[in-house]
Amino acid sequence: MSRVGNTILVIDDDTIVRESIVAYLEDSGFNILQAENGELGLTVFKDSHPDLILCDLRMPRMDGLGVLRNVREISPEIPFIVVSGAGVMADVVEALRLGASDYIIKPIVDLEVLEYAINRALETAQLAVENRRYRESLEEAIKTLEGNLQLLKEDQKAGREVQMRMLPRKPLEFEGYKVDHHIIPSLYLSGDFVDYFALNDHCFAFYLADVSGHGASSAFVTVLLKHMSINLLQEYQAHGGKARVKPSHVLSFINRNLLKSALGKHVAVFGGVVDTRNHTLTYAFGGHYPLPILQKSGETSLIEGRGLPVGLFEDARFEDVTIDLPEQFTLTILSDGILEVLPQSSHEEKEQYMLSVIRDGAHTVPALTKKLGLDAMREAPDDVALLVLARN
């Protein structure tokens, strides 16, 4: 499919070939500029800033390699496709070494092949631009956040207000589903974080993250997580919001960027996407424990899953699991701070107690906080976060 509206500069001294290419590409929806030699093509490029250059290699006055060298000095990233006769492959190799995106061999028998190469080069260039912009945005965010880290340490009250503003202001109600949460920090600032938001008209996403440690340094990473999730959401919606979102890909993305940030923090995450048309939940584990609890049809059980913590290992791999959602259910996700609060001695006993609490009817955030004694808690040994996803 053509990237309608992109401007292409066609440089070729063969009038018949050039005009046939121009006519075909204009019919395909591109805006076309043309030049009959390399010197004129370079002038048009400097004046008009096209999105892609299609250039013949063998031309008088200035050949395609000369054009390419000049263009690369001005714009290293613009897609540049060379057109070459079958007998000049040495020039093609040199053009690729200089940064040409692709090459087409003359005679061009099928112009659809040319159109495909153009679209592929434009898409690759656009992805490179978006990746660079995101890297720059992330680097700038990290610099800004690092500057604010000391402010968080110096002014815990202001930091708490910032962190609270990042959390969802109210429960999400979406096509018969509801997501709610509650966080109890061990200090004034929390290393636990939750978020949930609509992706499109029939899907929404949620996650619960537990940053290693607690206090100002861990709270700083929750700000970075929020920043990354906002950027991913904006990028997804900018591309139409129709592609399937895979939680495993999101965890891999966060894993890479946390490692690049060199903050020395890792995160335990459970995240998922609910499709309200198909009534499915696709989720992925990133070192999260305790296991989430699913209550449906009178049965209460733990959701199994595997996955390394996020931001700890370069080769971490995450898996997506998809399950069907019944007409009535609750899914309860808690951070590991809850294990420090419950009085039972072993992890297994704590799990069984949480299962019994939910089995006995504590299906909402207020009911859970009351039943688990969190509503009266003034100070916890570790941050405690809980998130409840329910239908009907």
Side-chain angles (χ1 to χ4, degrees):
M1 182 178 179
S2 295
R3 298 174 68 87
V4 176
N6 284 96
T7 299
I8 298 174
L9 170 59
V10 180
I11 308 173
D12 197 316
D13 64 320
D14 188 324
T15 303
I16 295 175
V17 171
R18 186 180 70 251
E19 290 182 350
S20 66
I21 291 174
V22 167
Y24 179 85
L25 294 179
E26 284 180 336
D27 288 343
S28 296
F30 294 106
N31 300 317
I32 303 299
L33 305 170
Q34 55 180 307
E36 61 188 22
N37 60 63
E39 289 183 353
L40 179 58
L42 195 57
T43 300
V44 174
F45 163 71
K46 293 177 180 178
D47 292 341
S48 304
H49 307 291
D51 300 303
L52 179 143
I53 298 174
L54 179 67
C55 185
D56 189 20
L57 279 180
R58 291 294 177 92
M59 295 182 296
R61 301 178 66 176
M62 180 184 288
D63 63 9
L65 292 178
V67 176
L68 177 56
R69 290 190 184 96
N70 280 275
V71 165
R72 282 290 170 258
E73 290 179 0
I74 300 169
S75 178
E77 295 180 347
I78 184 173
F80 194 109
I81 297 177
V82 297
V83 180
S84 167
V88 289
M89 289 307 295
D91 286 348
V92 170
V93 172
E94 178 64 10
L96 294 173
R97 188 188 69 79
L98 291 171
S101 309
D102 204 346
Y103 68 93
I104 302 293
I105 299 297
K106 281 185 176 181
I108 307 173
V109 179
D110 186 354
L111 287 173
E112 288 187 2
V113 174
L114 174 61
E115 183 180 1
Y116 174 79
I118 289 172
N119 282 320
R120 182 173 61 184
L122 287 169
E123 289 169 3
T124 301
Q126 182 62 31
L127 285 174
V129 169
E130 290 175 356
N131 287 337
R132 187 189 75 250
R133 286 174 179 169
Y134 181 77
R135 284 195 306 271
E136 292 172 352
S137 174
L138 179 63
E139 290 169 2
E140 183 63 29
I142 291 173
K143 290 179 182 178
T144 301
L145 294 171
E146 285 176 340
N148 290 337
L149 177 57
Q150 189 60 35
L151 295 177
L152 286 176
K153 292 178 178 179
E154 294 173 355
D155 192 342
Q156 297 271 312
K157 183 177 181 181
R160 177 63 174 165
E161 291 176 355
V162 170
Q163 193 172 42
M164 291 302 293
R165 285 199 299 269
M166 293 192 308
L167 290 166
R169 299 292 182 90
K170 59 183 180 180
L172 173 67
E173 296 188 12
F174 193 99
E175 300 294 326
Y177 291 81
K178 182 178 180 179
V179 193
D180 197 6
H181 77 281
H182 185 61
I183 292 180
I184 301 171
S186 59
L187 300 173
Y188 208 66
L189 295 167
S190 177
D192 284 2
F193 193 74
V194 303
D195 204 1
Y196 35 84
F197 41 82
L199 293 171
N200 52 40
D201 62 352
H202 65 282
C203 291
F204 65 90
F206 66 89
Y207 66 87
L208 185 150
D210 181 357
V211 183
S212 57
H214 44 75
S217 59
S218 297
F220 164 74
V221 178
T222 68
V223 179
L224 184 57
L225 284 173
K226 179 71 172 183
H227 173 80
M228 284 191 281
S229 66
I230 289 174
N231 273 272
L232 282 173
L233 179 60
Q234 289 175 338
E235 182 178 341
Y236 172 74
Q237 293 179 340
H239 286 80
K242 295 180 180 179
R244 181 187 175 196
V245 177
K246 294 185 176 182
S248 62
H249 291 180
V250 176
L251 294 189
S252 295
F253 173 84
I254 296 173
N255 185 69
R256 291 192 302 270
N257 284 285
L258 275 180
L259 288 170
K260 288 178 184 178
S261 72
L263 295 172
K265 290 287 185 177
H266 63 271
V267 187
V269 186
F270 179 86
V273 174
V274 173
D275 186 327
T276 62
R277 287 181 182 171
N278 300 322
H279 299 294
T280 58
L281 165 65
T282 301
Y283 63 85
F285 277 87
H288 179 83
Y289 189 80
L291 299 175
I293 299 172
L294 179 64
Q295 194 278 333
K296 62 176 183 177
S297 304
E299 297 181 359
T300 307
S301 59
L302 299 171
I303 282 188
E304 300 292 338
R306 297 183 303 172
L308 294 170
V310 178
L312 202 55
F313 303 102
E314 289 186 4
D315 59 350
R317 295 291 182 268
F318 307 99
E319 299 177 359
D320 289 312
V321 178
T322 300
I323 60 173
D324 293 324
L325 297 174
E327 290 188 5
Q328 289 188 328
F329 78 93
T330 60
L331 179 64
T332 303
I333 307 141
L334 299 115
S335 65
D336 65 0
I338 192 65
L339 302 176
E340 302 295 325
V341 173
L342 299 180
Q344 290 76 20
S345 56
S346 69
H347 282 188
E348 183 178 357
E349 289 174 334
K350 295 174 191 287
E351 279 186 345
Q352 291 303 315
Y353 176 70
M354 288 188 290
L355 284 167
S356 68
V357 166
I358 294 171
R359 188 182 301 116
D360 292 342
H363 300 158
T364 65
V365 166
L368 274 169
T369 54
K370 182 176 181 179
K371 188 67 177 179
L372 295 174
L374 303 178
D375 57 337
M377 188 172 294
R378 293 289 177 264
E379 186 175 306
D382 191 8
D383 304 318
V384 181
L386 62 120
L387 183 148
V388 177
L389 165 66
R391 183 182 179 196
N392 293 331

